[in-house]
Amino acid sequence: VGLNAYTLNIRDSLQKMLENFEEQKPDVIFNFVEIYKEDSRLEMNIVGLYELLGIPYTGAPALALANCQNKILAKRMLSSNGVRVPSFFIVKKKSRQYRHKLNYPLLIKPSLEDASVGIENESIVYNSRQLKERIEYVLHYFEQPVLVEEFIEGRELNVAVMGSNRLRVLPISEIDFTKMPDHLHNIVSYQAKWDPHHESYHKTIPKCPAPLSKKIEKRAKKIAIKAFKIMGCRGYARVDMRLSKAKKLYVLEVNPNPDLTEGAGFMRSAEHAGMSYGQALKRIVNYAISSNGRIKTRIL
């Protein structure tokens, strides 16, 4: 894309990273760090170091990464600013029973993970017995608060947003569940995202652009921009929504620094917007530069 670049695997070593920065003096860091020492919650800390060092970097700032990763905080931020989210409650410790006023079915997930970690077919529950079992499984296995929310039956939309001062919403993509067998729920589980040997991996079929009415498309894009701004995202993000059978849009998550694999996810929408893979990457780099006021020569 007309830029000088090299890759660096920091291998969980801050010393290695800092020494490389001192030696190479990169003008921009293309930030792909999503986990540090097996802890995804430290993702924001690495970006904090870029900020302390004064090196421009792509994607979301540290605060946005932290806010989006904490699903409970994200839902509170969105709902308090008028963005519709599924009704939810939080469980922090085991109890004899879990009283609530939500409508079944419910979706149970860890509150501090991303990339669909902890979301499986068994995450959808239909009664208090299943609810208790799944809550206590997540509490034990993930050792973090549990988010319980109403499962929104309907269509799943991925709305990609990119930009710096002016935001642009790319063609909306949809996850088509029509091929999903009856014994699997219509969700993008961890297996559906990452396990090519799992049945759901081949039954969650992306469609871009999504066949939507002009009215719903316009509303989804408006909500995506609002959510992007509320959560403090920058450069690029993906807002995941559900369109209920009653034609209401619910924001499920705001994903800063989403996967940039060629031909998948965010880049699928970029391609349908007329951008090549290289052009989309270059735009993301330029957003980082414009946000930091630095001139590029080399890119990490």
Side-chain angles (χ1 to χ4, degrees):
V1 293
L3 304 169
N4 297 321
Y6 67 98
T7 59
L8 172 66
N9 185 343
I10 66 172
R11 299 182 183 276
D12 287 340
S13 170
L14 292 181
Q15 190 64 34
K16 179 176 182 177
M17 183 179 76
L18 295 173
E19 287 175 356
N20 183 275
F21 291 172
E22 180 63 29
E23 178 185 344
Q24 298 291 336
K25 295 181 171 53
D27 291 292
V28 182
I29 297 168
F30 208 117
N31 180 42
F32 282 124
V33 177
E34 294 185 345
I35 191 169
Y36 181 75
K37 294 192 174 177
E38 302 300 320
D39 189 348
S40 60
R41 283 171 276 188
L42 295 177
E43 174 187 25
M44 61 168 287
N45 299 63
I46 301 298
V47 167
L49 284 175
Y50 304 157
E51 293 177 354
L52 289 173
L53 294 167
I55 307 174
Y57 61 92
T58 61
L63 190 59
L65 293 173
N67 290 343
C68 290
Q69 187 167 51
N70 186 328
K71 292 179 172 61
I72 296 165
L73 177 60
K75 285 185 179 296
R76 286 174 172 163
M77 290 177 67
L78 291 167
S79 60
S80 65
N81 283 279
V83 175
R84 185 185 292 114
V85 300
S87 298
F88 68 96
F89 70 95
I90 304 138
V91 179
K92 294 184 179 179
K93 59 182 180 180
K94 287 178 66 173
S95 176
R96 290 182 60 188
Q97 56 183 323
Y98 302 96
R99 298 181 182 276
H100 63 89
K101 296 181 180 179
L102 304 188
N103 298 311
Y104 287 100
L106 300 175
L107 173 60
I108 296 136
K109 51 182 139 177
S111 62
L112 298 171
E113 301 293 337
D114 57 11
S116 291
V117 171
I119 299 177
E120 302 168 309
N121 201 55
E122 296 75 19
S123 298
I124 306 286
V125 302
Y126 291 87
N127 55 53
S128 57
R129 179 186 60 80
Q130 293 176 346
L131 176 67
K132 182 177 173 64
E133 288 177 0
R134 191 64 189 182
I135 285 174
E136 293 178 1
Y137 167 81
V138 174
L139 282 171
H140 172 74
Y141 190 82
F142 292 96
E143 300 180 327
Q144 59 186 266
V146 181
L147 176 63
V148 182
E149 65 183 23
E150 289 186 358
F151 176 59
I152 308 300
E153 300 274 6
R155 299 168 64 182
E156 183 144 338
L157 307 178
N158 304 140
V159 190
V161 183
M162 66 189 309
S164 181
N165 297 322
R166 294 180 60 187
L167 298 178
R168 177 184 182 186
V169 182
L170 306 182
I172 297 172
S173 186
E174 176 177 6
I175 304 299
D176 184 1
F177 295 114
T178 55
K179 302 295 184 183
M180 190 74 84
D182 291 342
H183 65 276
L184 294 176
H185 295 296
N186 292 340
I187 58 172
V188 184
S189 63
Y190 180 83
Q191 290 79 11
K193 267 189 180 177
W194 307 111
D195 184 0
H197 300 293
H198 196 275
E199 189 176 8
S200 61
Y201 183 90
H202 304 280
K203 304 299 183 181
T204 47
I205 303 163
K207 292 169 65 176
C208 188
L212 298 168
S213 70
K214 292 292 184 183
K215 183 179 179 181
I216 290 174
E217 181 183 357
K218 184 177 179 181
R219 199 188 322 154
K221 289 183 174 183
K222 185 177 180 180
I223 291 170
I225 287 176
K226 186 173 183 179
F228 185 102
K229 290 179 177 178
I230 290 167
M231 300 309 299
C233 297
R234 190 186 70 187
Y236 66 111
R238 192 189 71 239
V239 182
D240 296 336
M241 304 182 192
R242 279 264 171 166
L243 176 63
S244 73
K245 293 176 180 178
K247 305 300 182 186
K248 291 183 178 180
L249 286 163
Y250 294 80
V251 171
L252 303 180
E253 288 190 17
V254 178
N255 295 281
N257 300 7
D259 180 17
L260 293 179
T261 302
E262 188 170 5
F266 186 94
M267 284 300 184
R268 186 185 304 109
S269 290
E271 180 182 349
H272 282 277
M275 282 177 259
S276 69
Y277 188 65
Q279 286 171 336
L281 292 179
K282 192 168 185 178
R283 285 193 186 203
I284 291 170
V285 170
N286 285 332
Y287 296 146
I289 295 163
S290 64
S291 297
N292 289 273
R294 290 273 296 272
I295 297 172
K296 63 181 181 295
T297 56
R298 297 177 300 278
I299 296 174
L300 174 61

